[in-house]
Amino acid sequence: MDNNIPSITKPCVLTVGTFDGVHIGHQKILQRVVNEAKKLNLDSAVLTFFPHPRMVLQKEMNIRLINTIGEREKIIKNLGINQLVIYPFSKEFSRLTAQEYIEEILIKKLNVKKIIIGYDHRFGRNRTASITELKEFGKKYHFTVEEISKQDIDEVAVSSTKIRNALKEGNIETANKYLGRPYSLSGVVQQGKGLGKKLGFPTANLAIPESYKLIPKHGVYIVESTLNGKKIFGMTNIGTNPTFNETKENIETYFFDLDEDLYGKTFRIKFLKRIRDEKKFATIEALIKAMETDKLYTQTFIQNLSKV
């Protein structure tokens, strides 16, 4: 048992889950927790886990997540949740019996008075306990259980999978629709090879520190960012620069109307639209011509955005 888990002193309404993406389905559940907590004059709380259970139990080190743990934390707190507990998922934790999990974590640590959870929620060693047992424990430990319907759970499950698939396919519009916000990547601008500058399109080369963060399909995208409190737009190329026979994946952004040294700065780029696949051009001139076309398309897209 990890004794470093923060205790919640005020009684709470709790939900439990991985919540990767914190998309519109998740937001519906979290809003339910916030509303119920206000109604009962309790704290609203979320118990989530990191690393992802599949990374620990199934050794799926290649799993890619929609959010970094930092992003997940920020989004959940912005939705009005009072207490967010990020439990360090481990094999030891997975071996807790249902009784130990309820008593040691939900009651002693998290001070649960009501739990809002999916109809198919399973917990305890080998996930043997179901919502039926949870309700029994509720009678014993004086907390109530509200069950989230199959319909709502299906919506949550389907959209997480759909978001991952959409990003892998480069379908940014679908991903953004399910997230309720633009998909984003955050990292530090590193020194690249300067290829973009030579082509007349100087780019910021973004390094993503979290290896588990899902990178959208290779291609050219319209993006938005913020610099010194001001919104800026640009084009991001995700790929390997095949025209130059490179092999390393890069995330390079050409920002419009920007003449500033960005090295070492931390940027978050938000993906608005995908323009095209990355491709190998026969000549550098053909590549420059394609980038000029991309730029015109992007500028028209941005102008239309400001009219909406």
Side-chain angles (χ1 to χ4, degrees), residues 166-170 214-221 238 274 277:
L167 291 169
K168 287 172 189 171
E169 291 159 10
L214 201 159
I215 309 295
K217 184 184 179 183
H218 286 188
V220 183
Y221 296 84
I238 300 176
R274 189 171 195 270
D277 283 339

Side-chain angles (χ1 to χ4, degrees), residues 71-90:
E71 288 168 344
R72 196 193 314 170
E73 183 174 6
K74 191 176 177 184
I75 298 163
I76 289 173
K77 285 184 173 173
N78 283 346
L79 290 169
I81 294 289
N82 303 124
Q83 305 278 357
L84 174 63
V85 177
I86 301 167
Y87 202 106
F89 194 88
S90 64

Side-chain angles (χ1 to χ4, degrees), residues 221-225 232-236 253-256 270 272 275 298 302:
Y221 296 84
I222 299 172
V223 298
E224 171 193 315
S225 191
I232 55 174
F233 293 93
M235 307 184 312
T236 292
T253 304
Y254 166 67
F255 288 111
F256 300 138
K270 298 176 181 179
L272 306 182
I275 304 173
T298 301
I302 293 161

Side-chain angles (χ1 to χ4, degrees), residues 218-269:
H218 286 188
V220 183
Y221 296 84
I222 299 172
V223 298
E224 171 193 315
S225 191
T226 306
L227 180 65
N228 305 325
K230 186 180 169 224
K231 194 183 279 190
I232 55 174
F233 293 93
M235 307 184 312
T236 292
N237 184 77
I238 300 176
T240 58
N241 295 318
T243 305
F244 295 94
N245 298 314
E246 300 281 321
T247 53
K248 183 176 177 284
E249 183 181 75
N250 290 297
I251 301 163
E252 300 167 294
T253 304
Y254 166 67
F255 288 111
F256 300 138
D257 311 317
L258 195 64
D259 185 22
E260 190 172 330
D261 183 3
L262 303 176
Y263 292 129
K265 283 188 166 37
T266 298
F267 264 95
R268 179 172 299 281
I269 52 171

Side-chain angles (χ1 to χ4, degrees), residues 112-124:
V112 169
K113 290 300 169 202
K114 178 164 187 173
I115 185 162
I116 297 178
I117 207 77
Y119 76 99
D120 58 350
H121 181 69
R122 304 198 71 83
F123 61 99

